[in-house]
């Protein structure tokens, strides 16, 4: 999503909630604008922040409404719930949600990322270990996919802070 909008990643309705939208750039922008509108409307009408589960339902419903002419995006949602427990989920093009405890992957190097994450991920990692694992997975998967590259940005979401680090990769 880098280079499309200065406000990436989207942080809908809360400090501890992120969404990434890998996919067709025009669909990403259209869907992001729709999400911004509806998350702002939710915040005004409900007078509270969106929970990750509620946000996943909202995203899933928007995508399902367009199932016969879908947006070509695969949203990835990550954040902390009300109890500061990790929440990780993704959806497919028509909004079918997948909630998991470990990791989700999406984008052009999906297969490579999945294999790297299965190999390197371990439960209950410390933030620095998690950053290193994410970085290795992302950079190694990008090296194996001709469509991917140019690095990435890793966000580590903790109860009291969010750490952002940029990764540099090949640029061919």
């Amino acid at each position: 999503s880098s280079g499309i909008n200065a406000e990436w990643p989207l942080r809908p309705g809360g400090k501890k909630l992120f969404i990434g939208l890998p996919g067709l750039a025009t669909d990403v922008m259209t869907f992001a604008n729709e999400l911004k509108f509806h998350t702002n409307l939710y915040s005004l009408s409900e007078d509270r922040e969106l929970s990750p589960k509620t946000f996943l339902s909202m995203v899933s419903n928007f995508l399902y409404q367009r199932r016969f002419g879908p947006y070509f995006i695969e949203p990835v949602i990550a954040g902390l719930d009300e109890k500061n427990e990790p929440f990780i989920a993704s959806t497919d093009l028509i909004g079918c949600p997948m909630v998991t405890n470990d990791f989700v992957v999406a984008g052009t190097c999906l297969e490579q990322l999945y294999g790297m994450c299965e190999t390197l991920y371990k439960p209950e990692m410390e933030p620095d270990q998690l950053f290193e694992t994410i970085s290795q997975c992302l950079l190694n998967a990008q090296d194996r996919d001709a469509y991917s590259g140019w690095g990435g940005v890793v966000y580590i979401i903790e109860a009291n802070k969010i750490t952002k680090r940029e990764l540099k990769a090949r640029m061919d």
Side-chain angles (χ1 to χ4, degrees):
S1 314
S2 63
I4 295 173
N5 187 331
E7 299 177 28
W8 288 100
L10 278 178
R11 293 177 69 181
K15 296 178 184 174
K16 300 177 189 174
L17 181 60
F18 286 77
I19 183 170
L21 297 170
L24 184 63
T26 53
D27 287 352
V28 167
M29 290 186 288
T30 303
F31 190 75
N33 287 332
E34 189 175 330
L35 271 182
K36 285 179 188 177
F37 172 76
H38 285 285
T39 55
N40 288 340
L41 188 63
Y42 179 90
S43 295
L44 289 172
S45 64
E46 298 292 324
D47 197 30
R48 60 187 165 120
E49 291 185 357
L50 271 168
S51 72
K53 289 180 183 176
T54 304
F55 184 63
L56 174 62
S57 295
M58 180 186 288
V59 169
S60 182
N61 286 332
F62 289 156
L63 290 173
Y64 189 72
Q65 288 172 359
R66 299 270 316 224
R67 66 190 174 278
F68 298 115
Y71 291 118
F72 291 105
I73 59 173
E74 296 178 68
V76 174
I77 298 167
L80 298 178
D81 64 14
E82 299 81 17
K83 299 175 185 174
N84 285 325
E85 294 293 319
F87 180 86
I88 305 166
S90 67
T91 71
D92 63 7
L93 299 178
I94 61 168
C96 180
M98 182 187 76
V99 179
T100 183
N101 296 343
D102 45 16
F103 59 86
V104 295
V105 295
T108 57
C109 62
L110 176 74
E111 292 85 6
Q112 293 85 354
L113 267 172
Y114 197 78
M116 290 302 303
C117 290
E118 277 188 324
T119 302
L120 298 177
Y121 177 79
K122 296 177 183 116
E124 304 298 325
M125 285 195 265
E126 294 297 319
D128 289 337
Q129 292 173 308
L130 188 59
F131 168 75
E132 188 62 34
T133 300
I134 293 169
S135 301
Q136 288 301 315
C137 290
L138 189 59
L139 293 175
N140 286 311
Q142 286 179 354
D143 282 344
R144 290 171 175 79
D145 183 44
Y147 292 130
S148 301
W150 291 56
V153 181
V154 177
Y155 291 85
I156 302 295
I157 308 166
E158 298 177 69
N160 57 352
K161 68 178 179 174
I162 296 171
T163 306
K164 173 186 172 184
R165 295 185 187 158
E166 294 186 18
L167 305 174
K168 296 188 187 239
R170 64 180 174 83
M171 298 185 132
D172 55 345

